[in-house]
Amino acid sequence: MTFSLELSEDVRQVRDWVHEFARDVVRPAAAEWDEREETPWPIIEEAAKIGLYSLDFFAQQWFEETGLGLPVAFEELFWGDAGIGLSIVGTGLAAAAVAANGTPEQMGEWLPEMFGSPGDVKLGAFCASEPDAGSDVGAIRTRAVYDEAKDEWVLNGVKTWATNGGIANVHVIVASVDPSLGARGQASFVVPPGTKGLSQGQKFKKHGIRASHTAEVILDNVRVPGRCLLGGKEKLDERLARVRAGQRAGGQAAMRTFETTRPQVAAMAVGIARAAYEYARDYAKEREQFGRKIGENQAIAFLLADMAARIDMARLMTWRAAWMARQGKPFTQAEGSMSKLVAGETAVWVTEQAIQILGGAGYTREHPVERWHRDAKIFTIFEGTSEIQRLIIGRAVTGLPVR
């Protein structure tokens, strides 16, 4: 398909629909849920009622012809608020893990269980990071041991920084089945609702995205049926045999999930940056100092110009990566990581400049720019830090094993 920057009519309708929800439902509630630091269940319910929080919506936009459905929708939602936005889309990461690693039968069984239905919404949680294994996914210590007599996998370990961790209906756990192989000896497992041995550990109080639940997940002799191994045991055994024989065996489970979602995460960051830019721009057009609008000063106007240009650059990189992924074009230059790196760092920079333009007012909670600045920082950390993105890009552009 030929690449075009002209959004289809369907994508434009989704953009306008999500923007309206973000403007009328999300933004008015953002400050309250940021202060409460609780999952905004009423807002998620509202999103479910209109079909925004649903498997159908995520699936339709994921398979949208141009690949721009989710990035466009996520930009609008996170323009409304990042914490509430992540509460609504956080299940998508667990869903992406099942879609990237699971069989059609597993997708049909577990994806609906992650979303529930209006009036009975559910959540999904993707659990990869551990206290000693964040960027270094090869250091994951959570073990999955196969009990052949019962056709069950036994999981033990502690996961951390898990969005929706402990409160989700379905958890997807990345665990090591052969520690001697490092990251290549890992697999992903679904833990069904109500499984004994899974519990929530510490709930984290965070700098930003406070309306999104982040917690530890403790796995104590968690037993799951053999069918809960994503992709199935036969496929896992074949992959491990190739690895042990020194052959290429495909991507690692967690990395396949992150790579497919990086353009969507980049779009979230673009939404935060755009919100801050628009607020600062409008403020500069109204605020007067020394007898004129502060936007008439070159120092402010040039800063706004740079903010607008950087946001546009980040959005274009995001759209390119999303389009490539949808068309099945490989990220030969790590385009997915590029989009996430640039968008995340743009969001941090733009929100900081927005505070600067508002001056002392921007540093108070009377204006939302301070919250957007707090929210933006996570986009240089989660789903691969900026340093990890640069490592991935460096390896792609040099062809060398950059460490």
Side-chain angles (χ1 to χ4, degrees):
M1 178 182 178
T2 302
F3 179 74
S4 172
L5 293 175
E6 184 70 28
L7 296 178
S8 69
E9 178 61 25
D10 287 344
V11 173
R12 288 199 299 271
Q13 288 180 357
V14 167
R15 177 196 62 193
D16 296 344
W17 173 59
V18 177
H19 180 80
E20 182 179 346
F21 180 81
R23 181 195 65 207
D24 297 343
V25 179
V26 174
R27 274 205 173 179
E32 174 190 351
W33 289 101
D34 177 72
E35 291 286 347
R36 291 175 63 168
E37 299 190 52
E38 297 174 358
T39 301
W41 290 105
I43 310 298
I44 301 174
E45 284 283 3
E46 288 299 313
K49 287 178 184 177
I50 66 169
L52 177 57
Y53 183 75
S54 70
L55 176 57
D56 285 346
F57 173 77
F58 278 81
Q60 287 171 4
Q61 299 313 311
W62 184 268
F63 293 109
E64 190 274 327
E65 184 179 15
T66 65
L68 301 183
L70 283 180
V72 167
F74 285 2
E75 178 180 333
E76 297 304 326
L77 187 58
F78 280 67
W79 172 89
D81 181 67
I84 294 176
L86 194 56
S87 288
I88 293 173
V89 307
T91 294
L93 185 58
V98 174
N101 301 290
T103 65
E105 293 75 18
Q106 288 171 327
M107 286 186 267
E109 179 175 8
W110 299 116
L111 292 180
E113 288 283 340
M114 292 183 180
F115 291 90
S117 58
D120 185 30
V121 296
K122 307 294 185 183
L123 301 174
F126 180 68
C127 307
S129 294
E130 298 183 0
D132 295 318
S135 296
D136 182 9
V137 295
I140 284 176
R141 294 182 179 178
T142 296
R143 277 301 307 275
V145 178
Y146 185 56
D147 183 342
E148 189 171 0
K150 296 183 178 180
D151 186 27
E152 292 180 339
W153 288 90
V154 184
L155 279 60
N156 283 283
V158 177
K159 294 296 182 180
T160 194
W161 317 121
T163 299
N164 298 334
I167 64 171
N169 195 48
V170 176
H171 291 75
V172 178
I173 308 293
V174 178
S176 175
V177 296
D178 187 341
S180 69
L181 300 178
R184 296 179 299 169
Q186 296 169 2
S188 294
F189 299 83
V190 169
V191 179
T195 300
K196 293 181 179 179
L198 185 147
S199 61
Q200 179 185 309
Q202 175 187 4
K203 178 187 175 183
F204 296 102
K205 297 180 72 66
K206 304 188 299 295
H207 177 63
I209 54 167
R210 294 178 178 178
S212 174
H213 176 95
T214 308
E216 291 179 326
V217 173
I218 299 171
L219 303 151
D220 183 11
N221 287 322
V222 171
R223 285 183 167 267
V224 298
R227 63 185 174 82
C228 290
L229 166 61
L230 291 179
K233 192 170 187 303
E234 182 178 349
K235 184 177 179 181
L236 172 65
D237 289 342
E238 291 175 355
R239 178 167 63 83
L240 294 180
R242 291 196 300 272
V243 173
R244 292 175 185 130
Q247 301 172 7
R248 294 182 62 86
Q252 186 269 342
M255 289 300 98
R256 281 198 299 272
T257 300
F258 290 139
E259 190 63 18
T260 59
T261 59
R262 276 180 181 136
Q264 282 73 50
V265 175
M268 300 172 192
V270 171
I272 299 172
R274 190 183 111 215
Y277 158 72
E278 290 176 355
Y279 197 93
R281 177 200 62 197
D282 293 346
Y283 184 88
K285 290 165 64 176
E286 297 297 328
R287 172 69 167 166
E288 291 189 4
Q289 288 286 278
F290 303 105
R292 61 182 179 184
K293 310 292 186 186
I294 65 171
E296 295 179 42
N297 296 315
Q298 282 190 2
I300 302 298
F302 285 8
L303 187 53
L304 288 167
D306 284 343
M307 292 161 75
R310 291 197 187 189
I311 292 169
D312 217 25
M313 175 180 65
R315 181 185 296 111
L316 290 171
M317 294 183 72
T318 298
W319 284 13
R320 178 186 66 171
W323 178 83
M324 290 178 67
R326 182 66 184 91
Q327 306 310 314
K329 296 182 180 294
F331 290 159
T332 57
Q333 299 292 296
E335 288 87 352
S337 290
M338 283 185 181
S339 68
K340 200 265 184 184
L341 170 66
V342 171
E345 296 199 344
T346 293
V348 172
W349 183 82
V350 168
T351 53
E352 182 176 2
Q353 304 317 308
I355 292 175
Q356 196 69 22
I357 288 172
L358 269 68
Y363 199 67
T364 71
R365 295 190 182 180
E366 295 299 312
H367 296 272
V369 289
E370 65 83 27
R371 183 177 74 249
W372 292 331
H373 185 50
R374 288 188 284 108
D375 291 342
K377 184 57 189 171
I378 194 61
F379 289 88
T380 66
I381 299 172
F382 75 172
E383 292 204 44
T385 64
S386 288
E387 291 73 22
I388 289 296
Q389 305 308 326
R390 287 186 168 91
L391 186 67
I392 294 169
I393 297 165
R395 289 172 178 170
V397 300
T398 65
L400 300 173
V402 180
R403 295 180 175 85

